[in-house]
Amino acid sequence: MAMFGMIVSGRLVSTSWDQVSPTNCVAEIPDADSVNHVVIFLTGSTPFPAGLGGAVYFCWPQPAGVEQAWMLLGTISNNKPSAIFRVSKLKSADENENMTNSFMSLGTGMPARANAMVGISVEPLTSIEGQTPAAQTEAATVSNFMEFSQKMVENLFNYATSFAVSAGDMRARPGETFVPFSSLQQWYTNFERRLQQNPNFWRK
């Protein structure tokens, strides 16, 4: 079974990768102009060797004779076995081309392709974790989303409670509607509990 998998929305899961060097593999994405996001993940069949991870790149098809331009999307590793990358914003982002990476060093060893490609380069974690992904790829993980959601809810809770008033103040402002503090507190508790149980509960 392949080590890596790829998901493009509305299409079957793909585990078909071409090995182009001992540490590099690529997968093609037909009709990539209609693609907004791709998910890259470890299938679980084989983990990365200790101290190694995968730098994930994207390349649009280039005209004959034009060098391939690979853009860094982000990374995956044993500790972060999947990630979502937005590729739609890369369509005209020439300034995001990453010209110093292992795919560029393959040179003419990489044949021209008619489709866009995703590439994975197996490299030391100390090397890939210091690299800067292309702008607007917005790699995301469930843990990142949960952290954002919790911070957002905490911010709303703290902001709303900063306007808490006493019963006497409420009577002095008859033209306004007030929500019991206990209701907001109960909503906050329920939201945090449901988020812990299922980070995607809000989609239902």
Side-chain angles (χ1 to χ4, degrees):
M1 184 177 180
M3 180 176 178
F4 306 114
M6 178 174 65
I7 299 175
V8 176
S9 180
R11 306 183 189 184
L12 295 174
V13 175
S14 172
T15 56
S16 178
W17 298 81
D18 295 332
Q19 193 85 30
V20 294
S21 84
T23 58
N24 296 71
C25 62
V26 299
E28 294 193 30
I29 305 179
D31 191 25
D33 286 322
S34 62
V35 175
N36 289 319
H37 296 78
V38 297
V39 180
I40 304 298
F41 62 95
L42 292 175
T43 62
S45 63
T46 307
F48 283 108
L52 298 180
V56 183
Y57 294 90
F58 184 83
C59 177
W60 287 103
Q62 301 293 331
V66 177
E67 189 175 25
Q68 294 172 345
W70 290 88
M71 293 167 280
L72 179 66
L73 298 179
T75 63
I76 57 173
S77 65
N78 292 335
N79 292 329
K80 191 182 77 170
S82 66
I84 305 172
F85 304 108
R86 183 166 68 173
V87 299
S88 58
K89 294 294 184 179
L90 300 177
K91 293 176 182 177
S92 59
D94 293 338
E95 69 275 12
N96 289 327
E97 294 175 2
N98 189 310
M99 301 303 293
T100 55
N101 60 67
S102 61
F103 284 98
M104 300 304 296
S105 65
L106 295 177
T108 57
M110 283 285 292
R113 308 260 181 160
N115 296 312
M117 292 179 287
V118 170
I120 299 177
S121 174
V122 178
E123 303 174 22
L125 289 172
T126 54
S127 173
I128 63 177
E129 288 177 348
Q131 298 180 28
T132 302
Q136 303 182 70
T137 57
E138 296 182 351
T141 63
V142 170
S143 60
N144 287 340
F145 173 74
M146 286 185 62
E147 181 180 3
F148 167 76
S149 299
Q150 288 173 324
K151 294 296 182 183
M152 178 185 68
V153 172
E154 288 174 10
N155 183 270
L156 171 62
F157 181 80
N158 292 333
Y159 177 78
T161 55
S162 70
F163 293 95
V165 297
S166 65
D169 291 332
M170 290 171 58
R171 287 192 291 270
R173 297 157 68 177
E176 295 190 41
T177 301
F178 295 89
V179 177
F181 177 77
S182 58
S183 297
L184 182 61
Q185 195 166 35
Q186 184 62 43
W187 168 81
Y188 173 80
T189 301
N190 289 340
F191 187 95
E192 192 169 46
R193 174 179 54 79
R194 295 181 69 185
L195 188 66
Q196 291 289 344
Q197 293 173 345
N198 177 14
N200 294 310
F201 81 91
W202 53 274
R203 294 180 182 272
K204 299 179 181 179

